Amino acid sequence: MKSSTLIQIEAGAVAVVLCTVPSGCAVLTVDVDVYKGALVNEEHVQLHQLVALTTAAQPMLVNTLFRSEWPETDGAPPKALVSGCPKTWYQKGYVRVPETWVPET
C-alpha cells in the first residue's frame, strides 16, 4: 500500500500535467491590420474623391470668406462693390468652360 504522502505527490504531479498539457497547446494569434485609408484606392479614384470633397466644401469656404471680408453686413458684399459687375469671381459661372473641354462619361 502506498503512503499518503506518495499519493499526494502523485496527485499533484497528475494535476500539474493535466493543467500544463492543454495550456501548452494553446496558440496566441495576433492579427495586425494596417490602416491604409484612402491610399488603398487607385490614383483615379483618389482624384475623384478629392474633387468630391472640394466641391462639397466650396459653399462653406465661400460663406466663410464672405463673412470674414464683410462681417458688418453678415457676409453680404456692399452694394457699391457689386453694382457695376454682373458676376463676381466668387460666384459659380464666372470662369467659362473651355471650348476644347471634353466632359467625363
PDB file of all heavy atoms in Angstrom, residues 15 19-21 23 26-27 29 31 36 39 41 46 51 58 61 64 67 70 74 83 86 88 91 99:
ATOM      1  N   ALA A  15      -2.076  16.583 -11.501  1.00  0.00           N
ATOM      2  CA  ALA A  15      -2.745  17.874 -11.653  1.00  0.00           C
ATOM      3  C   ALA A  15      -1.887  18.840 -12.466  1.00  0.00           C
ATOM      4  O   ALA A  15      -2.392  19.570 -13.323  1.00  0.00           O
ATOM      5  CB  ALA A  15      -3.063  18.463 -10.274  1.00  0.00           C
ATOM      6  N   CYS A  19      -2.894  20.312 -16.140  1.00  0.00           N
ATOM      7  CA  CYS A  19      -3.017  21.763 -16.349  1.00  0.00           C
ATOM      8  C   CYS A  19      -2.069  22.274 -17.423  1.00  0.00           C
ATOM      9  O   CYS A  19      -2.384  23.214 -18.146  1.00  0.00           O
ATOM     10  CB  CYS A  19      -2.756  22.500 -15.039  1.00  0.00           C
ATOM     11  SG  CYS A  19      -4.073  22.270 -13.842  1.00  0.00           S
ATOM     12  N   THR A  20      -0.876  21.676 -17.522  1.00  0.00           N
ATOM     13  CA  THR A  20       0.106  22.197 -18.468  1.00  0.00           C
ATOM     14  C   THR A  20      -0.098  21.685 -19.880  1.00  0.00           C
ATOM     15  O   THR A  20       0.234  22.384 -20.836  1.00  0.00           O
ATOM     16  CB  THR A  20       1.536  21.852 -18.010  1.00  0.00           C
ATOM     17  OG1 THR A  20       1.649  20.439 -17.851  1.00  0.00           O
ATOM     18  CG2 THR A  20       1.888  22.568 -16.736  1.00  0.00           C
ATOM     19  N   VAL A  21      -0.632  20.496 -20.044  1.00  0.00           N
ATOM     20  CA  VAL A  21      -0.811  19.947 -21.387  1.00  0.00           C
ATOM     21  C   VAL A  21      -1.777  20.797 -22.216  1.00  0.00           C
ATOM     22  O   VAL A  21      -1.434  21.199 -23.328  1.00  0.00           O
ATOM     23  CB  VAL A  21      -1.250  18.459 -21.320  1.00  0.00           C
ATOM     24  CG1 VAL A  21      -1.694  17.966 -22.685  1.00  0.00           C
ATOM     25  CG2 VAL A  21      -0.121  17.609 -20.792  1.00  0.00           C
ATOM     26  N   SER A  23      -2.659  23.921 -21.754  1.00  0.00           N
ATOM     27  CA  SER A  23      -2.144  25.279 -21.925  1.00  0.00           C
ATOM     28  C   SER A  23      -0.922  25.306 -22.835  1.00  0.00           C
ATOM     29  O   SER A  23      -0.646  26.315 -23.470  1.00  0.00           O
ATOM     30  CB  SER A  23      -1.796  25.896 -20.566  1.00  0.00           C
ATOM     31  OG  SER A  23      -0.725  25.180 -19.972  1.00  0.00           O
ATOM     32  N   ALA A  26      -2.145  25.736 -26.422  1.00  0.00           N
ATOM     33  CA  ALA A  26      -2.792  26.988 -26.779  1.00  0.00           C
ATOM     34  C   ALA A  26      -1.860  27.824 -27.657  1.00  0.00           C
ATOM     35  O   ALA A  26      -0.656  27.832 -27.484  1.00  0.00           O
ATOM     36  CB  ALA A  26      -3.158  27.763 -25.525  1.00  0.00           C
ATOM     37  N   VAL A  27      -2.450  28.515 -28.615  1.00  0.00           N
ATOM     38  CA  VAL A  27      -1.678  29.342 -29.529  1.00  0.00           C
ATOM     39  C   VAL A  27      -2.202  30.772 -29.428  1.00  0.00           C
ATOM     40  O   VAL A  27      -3.402  31.007 -29.505  1.00  0.00           O
ATOM     41  CB  VAL A  27      -1.811  28.834 -30.981  1.00  0.00           C
ATOM     42  CG1 VAL A  27      -1.099  29.760 -31.943  1.00  0.00           C
ATOM     43  CG2 VAL A  27      -1.290  27.421 -31.091  1.00  0.00           C
ATOM     44  N   THR A  29      -2.626  34.067 -31.245  1.00  0.00           N
ATOM     45  CA  THR A  29      -2.593  34.616 -32.592  1.00  0.00           C
ATOM     46  C   THR A  29      -2.886  36.116 -32.512  1.00  0.00           C
ATOM     47  O   THR A  29      -3.908  36.529 -31.988  1.00  0.00           O
ATOM     48  CB  THR A  29      -3.650  33.951 -33.489  1.00  0.00           C
ATOM     49  OG1 THR A  29      -3.403  32.543 -33.487  1.00  0.00           O
ATOM     50  CG2 THR A  29      -3.571  34.476 -34.899  1.00  0.00           C
ATOM     51  N   ASP A  31      -3.508  39.301 -34.797  1.00  0.00           N
ATOM     52  CA  ASP A  31      -3.833  39.734 -36.151  1.00  0.00           C
ATOM     53  C   ASP A  31      -3.646  41.240 -36.216  1.00  0.00           C
ATOM     54  O   ASP A  31      -4.322  42.001 -35.525  1.00  0.00           O
ATOM     55  CB  ASP A  31      -5.281  39.363 -36.478  1.00  0.00           C
ATOM     56  CG  ASP A  31      -5.628  39.678 -37.906  1.00  0.00           C
ATOM     57  OD1 ASP A  31      -4.701  39.762 -38.742  1.00  0.00           O
ATOM     58  OD2 ASP A  31      -6.821  39.848 -38.199  1.00  0.00           O
ATOM     59  N   LYS A  36      -4.657  51.702 -44.142  1.00  0.00           N
ATOM     60  CA  LYS A  36      -4.109  52.459 -45.259  1.00  0.00           C
ATOM     61  C   LYS A  36      -5.055  53.566 -45.692  1.00  0.00           C
ATOM     62  O   LYS A  36      -4.685  54.438 -46.459  1.00  0.00           O
ATOM     63  CB  LYS A  36      -3.825  51.527 -46.436  1.00  0.00           C
ATOM     64  CG  LYS A  36      -2.741  50.525 -46.131  1.00  0.00           C
ATOM     65  CD  LYS A  36      -2.464  49.646 -47.303  1.00  0.00           C
ATOM     66  CE  LYS A  36      -1.414  48.617 -46.942  1.00  0.00           C
ATOM     67  NZ  LYS A  36      -1.177  47.690 -48.016  1.00  0.00           N
ATOM     68  N   LEU A  39      -5.497  55.605 -49.267  1.00  0.00           N
ATOM     69  CA  LEU A  39      -4.337  55.300 -50.107  1.00  0.00           C
ATOM     70  C   LEU A  39      -4.449  53.933 -50.778  1.00  0.00           C
ATOM     71  O   LEU A  39      -3.699  53.632 -51.698  1.00  0.00           O
ATOM     72  CB  LEU A  39      -3.056  55.353 -49.271  1.00  0.00           C
ATOM     73  CG  LEU A  39      -2.727  56.715 -48.680  1.00  0.00           C
ATOM     74  CD1 LEU A  39      -1.493  56.620 -47.811  1.00  0.00           C
ATOM     75  CD2 LEU A  39      -2.511  57.732 -49.781  1.00  0.00           C
ATOM     76  N   ASN A  41      -6.894  52.982 -52.523  1.00  0.00           N
ATOM     77  CA  ASN A  41      -7.580  53.157 -53.809  1.00  0.00           C
ATOM     78  C   ASN A  41      -6.589  53.530 -54.907  1.00  0.00           C
ATOM     79  O   ASN A  41      -5.504  54.032 -54.639  1.00  0.00           O
ATOM     80  CB  ASN A  41      -8.638  54.256 -53.696  1.00  0.00           C
ATOM     81  CG  ASN A  41      -9.737  53.871 -52.738  1.00  0.00           C
ATOM     82  OD1 ASN A  41     -10.069  52.707 -52.600  1.00  0.00           O
ATOM     83  ND2 ASN A  41     -10.281  54.845 -52.052  1.00  0.00           N
ATOM     84  N   GLN A  46      -8.748  58.191 -56.129  1.00  0.00           N
ATOM     85  CA  GLN A  46      -8.341  59.219 -55.177  1.00  0.00           C
ATOM     86  C   GLN A  46      -8.641  60.614 -55.724  1.00  0.00           C
ATOM     87  O   GLN A  46      -9.077  61.500 -54.987  1.00  0.00           O
ATOM     88  CB  GLN A  46      -6.851  59.097 -54.868  1.00  0.00           C
ATOM     89  CG  GLN A  46      -6.494  57.872 -54.077  1.00  0.00           C
ATOM     90  CD  GLN A  46      -4.993  57.778 -53.812  1.00  0.00           C
ATOM     91  OE1 GLN A  46      -4.273  58.753 -53.988  1.00  0.00           O
ATOM     92  NE2 GLN A  46      -4.542  56.623 -53.400  1.00  0.00           N
ATOM     93  N   VAL A  51     -11.933  65.592 -55.696  1.00  0.00           N
ATOM     94  CA  VAL A  51     -12.833  66.523 -56.393  1.00  0.00           C
ATOM     95  C   VAL A  51     -14.174  66.602 -55.664  1.00  0.00           C
ATOM     96  O   VAL A  51     -14.734  67.690 -55.483  1.00  0.00           O
ATOM     97  CB  VAL A  51     -13.014  66.098 -57.868  1.00  0.00           C
ATOM     98  CG1 VAL A  51     -14.155  66.852 -58.520  1.00  0.00           C
ATOM     99  CG2 VAL A  51     -11.723  66.313 -58.627  1.00  0.00           C
ATOM    100  N   GLN A  58     -16.968  73.784 -51.125  1.00  0.00           N
ATOM    101  CA  GLN A  58     -16.987  75.111 -51.733  1.00  0.00           C
ATOM    102  C   GLN A  58     -18.005  76.059 -51.093  1.00  0.00           C
ATOM    103  O   GLN A  58     -17.645  77.205 -50.767  1.00  0.00           O
ATOM    104  CB  GLN A  58     -17.240  75.005 -53.229  1.00  0.00           C
ATOM    105  CG  GLN A  58     -17.229  76.351 -53.919  1.00  0.00           C
ATOM    106  CD  GLN A  58     -17.571  76.254 -55.391  1.00  0.00           C
ATOM    107  OE1 GLN A  58     -17.956  75.204 -55.874  1.00  0.00           O
ATOM    108  NE2 GLN A  58     -17.433  77.358 -56.090  1.00  0.00           N
ATOM    109  N   LEU A  61     -16.661  77.248 -47.745  1.00  0.00           N
ATOM    110  CA  LEU A  61     -15.498  78.125 -47.873  1.00  0.00           C
ATOM    111  C   LEU A  61     -15.896  79.515 -48.370  1.00  0.00           C
ATOM    112  O   LEU A  61     -15.377  80.527 -47.890  1.00  0.00           O
ATOM    113  CB  LEU A  61     -14.471  77.489 -48.814  1.00  0.00           C
ATOM    114  CG  LEU A  61     -13.818  76.213 -48.297  1.00  0.00           C
ATOM    115  CD1 LEU A  61     -12.953  75.596 -49.380  1.00  0.00           C
ATOM    116  CD2 LEU A  61     -13.013  76.477 -47.056  1.00  0.00           C
ATOM    117  N   THR A  64     -17.546  81.349 -45.508  1.00  0.00           N
ATOM    118  CA  THR A  64     -16.529  81.791 -44.547  1.00  0.00           C
ATOM    119  C   THR A  64     -15.761  82.992 -45.087  1.00  0.00           C
ATOM    120  O   THR A  64     -15.475  83.941 -44.351  1.00  0.00           O
ATOM    121  CB  THR A  64     -15.556  80.644 -44.240  1.00  0.00           C
ATOM    122  OG1 THR A  64     -16.303  79.519 -43.778  1.00  0.00           O
ATOM    123  CG2 THR A  64     -14.543  81.039 -43.191  1.00  0.00           C
ATOM    124  N   ARG A  67     -18.052  86.110 -44.906  1.00  0.00           N
ATOM    125  CA  ARG A  67     -18.225  86.572 -43.518  1.00  0.00           C
ATOM    126  C   ARG A  67     -16.955  87.215 -42.972  1.00  0.00           C
ATOM    127  O   ARG A  67     -17.019  88.115 -42.145  1.00  0.00           O
ATOM    128  CB  ARG A  67     -18.665  85.431 -42.619  1.00  0.00           C
ATOM    129  CG  ARG A  67     -20.106  85.028 -42.846  1.00  0.00           C
ATOM    130  CD  ARG A  67     -20.506  83.891 -41.915  1.00  0.00           C
ATOM    131  NE  ARG A  67     -21.846  83.458 -42.189  1.00  0.00           N
ATOM    132  CZ  ARG A  67     -22.933  83.981 -41.607  1.00  0.00           C
ATOM    133  NH1 ARG A  67     -22.806  84.938 -40.743  1.00  0.00           N
ATOM    134  NH2 ARG A  67     -24.121  83.523 -41.913  1.00  0.00           N
ATOM    135  N   TRP A  70     -16.688  90.786 -45.020  1.00  0.00           N
ATOM    136  CA  TRP A  70     -17.729  91.755 -44.706  1.00  0.00           C
ATOM    137  C   TRP A  70     -18.506  91.329 -43.453  1.00  0.00           C
ATOM    138  O   TRP A  70     -19.683  90.965 -43.528  1.00  0.00           O
ATOM    139  CB  TRP A  70     -18.688  91.893 -45.893  1.00  0.00           C
ATOM    140  CG  TRP A  70     -17.988  92.247 -47.157  1.00  0.00           C
ATOM    141  CD1 TRP A  70     -17.316  93.412 -47.419  1.00  0.00           C
ATOM    142  CD2 TRP A  70     -17.853  91.442 -48.323  1.00  0.00           C
ATOM    143  NE1 TRP A  70     -16.774  93.379 -48.675  1.00  0.00           N
ATOM    144  CE2 TRP A  70     -17.096  92.181 -49.262  1.00  0.00           C
ATOM    145  CE3 TRP A  70     -18.300  90.181 -48.679  1.00  0.00           C
ATOM    146  CZ2 TRP A  70     -16.771  91.688 -50.518  1.00  0.00           C
ATOM    147  CZ3 TRP A  70     -17.984  89.685 -49.926  1.00  0.00           C
ATOM    148  CH2 TRP A  70     -17.229  90.439 -50.828  1.00  0.00           C
ATOM    149  N   ASP A  74     -22.955  90.794 -42.348  1.00  0.00           N
ATOM    150  CA  ASP A  74     -23.219  89.357 -42.213  1.00  0.00           C
ATOM    151  C   ASP A  74     -22.883  88.587 -43.493  1.00  0.00           C
ATOM    152  O   ASP A  74     -23.609  87.702 -43.923  1.00  0.00           O
ATOM    153  CB  ASP A  74     -24.675  89.114 -41.804  1.00  0.00           C
ATOM    154  CG  ASP A  74     -24.882  87.700 -41.254  1.00  0.00           C
ATOM    155  OD1 ASP A  74     -23.937  87.149 -40.654  1.00  0.00           O
ATOM    156  OD2 ASP A  74     -25.990  87.156 -41.434  1.00  0.00           O
ATOM    157  N   SER A  83     -22.508  96.587 -57.824  1.00  0.00           N
ATOM    158  CA  SER A  83     -23.490  97.291 -58.669  1.00  0.00           C
ATOM    159  C   SER A  83     -23.103  97.303 -60.142  1.00  0.00           C
ATOM    160  O   SER A  83     -23.940  97.102 -61.007  1.00  0.00           O
ATOM    161  CB  SER A  83     -23.686  98.723 -58.164  1.00  0.00           C
ATOM    162  OG  SER A  83     -22.458  99.419 -58.262  1.00  0.00           O
ATOM    163  N   PRO A  86     -21.704  92.253 -63.266  1.00  0.00           N
ATOM    164  CA  PRO A  86     -22.784  91.264 -63.299  1.00  0.00           C
ATOM    165  C   PRO A  86     -22.479  90.029 -62.448  1.00  0.00           C
ATOM    166  O   PRO A  86     -23.360  89.483 -61.827  1.00  0.00           O
ATOM    167  CB  PRO A  86     -22.900  90.895 -64.772  1.00  0.00           C
ATOM    168  CG  PRO A  86     -21.591  91.263 -65.370  1.00  0.00           C
ATOM    169  CD  PRO A  86     -21.051  92.400 -64.562  1.00  0.00           C
ATOM    170  N   THR A  88     -19.357  88.230 -59.788  1.00  0.00           N
ATOM    171  CA  THR A  88     -18.062  88.352 -59.124  1.00  0.00           C
ATOM    172  C   THR A  88     -17.307  87.043 -59.300  1.00  0.00           C
ATOM    173  O   THR A  88     -17.880  86.024 -59.668  1.00  0.00           O
ATOM    174  CB  THR A  88     -18.223  88.649 -57.633  1.00  0.00           C
ATOM    175  OG1 THR A  88     -18.784  87.512 -57.006  1.00  0.00           O
ATOM    176  CG2 THR A  88     -19.091  89.857 -57.397  1.00  0.00           C
ATOM    177  N   GLN A  91     -18.640  83.777 -57.589  1.00  0.00           N
ATOM    178  CA  GLN A  91     -19.844  83.055 -57.973  1.00  0.00           C
ATOM    179  C   GLN A  91     -19.555  82.002 -59.036  1.00  0.00           C
ATOM    180  O   GLN A  91     -18.659  82.153 -59.862  1.00  0.00           O
ATOM    181  CB  GLN A  91     -20.893  84.038 -58.488  1.00  0.00           C
ATOM    182  CG  GLN A  91     -21.361  84.983 -57.406  1.00  0.00           C
ATOM    183  CD  GLN A  91     -22.312  86.022 -57.951  1.00  0.00           C
ATOM    184  OE1 GLN A  91     -22.410  86.204 -59.155  1.00  0.00           O
ATOM    185  NE2 GLN A  91     -23.003  86.709 -57.068  1.00  0.00           N
ATOM    186  N   GLU A  99     -13.747  75.676 -74.757  1.00  0.00           N
ATOM    187  CA  GLU A  99     -14.418  75.017 -75.857  1.00  0.00           C
ATOM    188  C   GLU A  99     -13.823  73.650 -76.158  1.00  0.00           C
ATOM    189  O   GLU A  99     -14.505  72.772 -76.703  1.00  0.00           O
ATOM    190  CB  GLU A  99     -14.367  75.891 -77.111  1.00  0.00           C
ATOM    191  CG  GLU A  99     -15.123  77.191 -76.945  1.00  0.00           C
ATOM    192  CD  GLU A  99     -14.949  78.101 -78.145  1.00  0.00           C
ATOM    193  OE1 GLU A  99     -14.363  77.681 -79.164  1.00  0.00           O
ATOM    194  OE2 GLU A  99     -15.399  79.255 -78.059  1.00  0.00           O
TER     195      GLU A  99
END
